[in-house]
Amino acid sequence: MKTGTSEYNEKKSRFLGYVYDVDSPDAAAEKIAALRKEHYNARHVCFAWQIDGLLRSSDDGEPQGTAGHPIADVLTHRELEHCLIAVVRYYGGIKLGTGGLTHAYSNTASAAADAALLMEILNGFPLTVTLDYNDYGKAGYFFNENQIPQTGIDYGADVTVHLMVPSALKEMTDRQLAGITAGKASPEWGNETSYGLSDGQVILLS
């Protein structure tokens, strides 16, 4: 997932939403601290994060249940893991009431999540293999059937295809390529890595 932001205004109060990918509670705390420093004039920095099934939220001085809980609802309803959503509020001098606050924090968090690039995080092995055109046709069917995404392809006398193979499919892919090419294929495997998958597109994680 990549960062998303949003802004919502209600009765002169300004709400700024932020979505971050975080891998630990400490990482979430660092992001929240950075937001507090950046928005030192803001009245509230409310948040919720979900990491490995652990969910935490904070109203940061707002009436109980009006900020952290609606933000957390966005996380749970969208099944977002390793994710922090924070909403910064600049108070405009007019009270919104509990219903107005809940609506504002929920809308801001949802809009920030909409703006973020949401990805399924997987483990896999980069694969490069050169095939003749006939074998590539057969191999391509296997790749498509098993939802193994191609990350690049080079056409020449033969076809060199680059893929990201989910870890659970590595051994099966080796066997299938050996069978399809009668042992001629020489797959070049990279090291196992984590990657994002969004709309079928592989996104390498730094």
Side-chain angles (χ1 to χ4, degrees):
M1 179 179 58
K2 294 188 177 179
T3 301
T5 61
S6 66
E7 181 171 346
Y8 179 81
N9 294 278
E10 180 69 21
K11 295 181 179 178
K12 297 185 179 180
S13 278
R14 185 177 176 220
F15 297 84
L16 304 175
Y18 298 87
V19 176
Y20 298 105
D21 182 22
V22 289
D23 58 10
S24 69
D26 286 344
E30 289 177 3
K31 293 291 188 183
I32 295 163
L35 281 175
R36 293 191 194 282
K37 183 176 180 180
E38 179 183 354
H39 298 281
Y40 58 89
N41 284 332
R43 179 70 66 88
H44 307 281
V45 179
C46 306
F47 64 85
W49 52 256
Q50 185 163 235
I51 300 168
D52 295 331
L54 183 64
L55 181 65
R56 291 288 184 271
S57 65
S58 170
D59 295 312
D60 192 36
E62 294 282 30
Q64 185 175 1
T66 62
H69 184 72
I71 297 171
D73 280 347
V74 174
L75 289 173
T76 56
H77 289 165
R78 299 193 183 208
E79 299 181 343
L80 301 179
E81 270 285 353
H82 294 94
C83 181
L84 162 69
I85 302 180
V87 178
V88 176
R89 181 191 182 190
Y90 285 88
Y91 183 53
I94 301 174
K95 293 184 177 181
L96 303 184
T98 57
L101 285 172
T102 299
H103 179 76
Y105 279 103
S106 178
N107 274 9
T108 307
S110 292
D114 288 341
L117 175 59
L118 304 180
M119 300 181 292
E120 184 180 6
I121 306 301
L122 302 166
N123 290 327
F125 291 86
L127 169 64
T128 298
V129 61
T130 299
L131 306 164
D132 65 36
Y133 280 84
N134 183 56
D135 288 343
Y136 172 67
K138 298 174 185 177
Y141 178 81
F142 166 74
F143 299 145
N144 291 334
E145 282 292 295
N146 290 276
Q147 298 181 337
I148 299 174
Q150 296 186 23
T151 57
I153 189 165
D154 302 313
Y155 295 101
D158 293 312
V159 182
T160 299
V161 60
H162 310 275
L163 308 107
M164 181 63 74
V165 180
S167 297
L169 299 179
K170 181 177 185 295
E171 292 185 7
M172 182 172 69
T173 300
D174 255 337
R175 291 196 303 269
Q176 288 292 325
L177 288 174
I180 289 169
T181 66
K184 294 181 296 182
S186 298
E188 298 177 11
W189 292 97
N191 295 326
E192 187 175 25
T193 187
S194 295
Y195 65 97
L197 192 63
S198 178
D199 293 330
Q201 299 298 310
V202 171
I203 299 169
L204 298 178
L205 305 177
S206 58

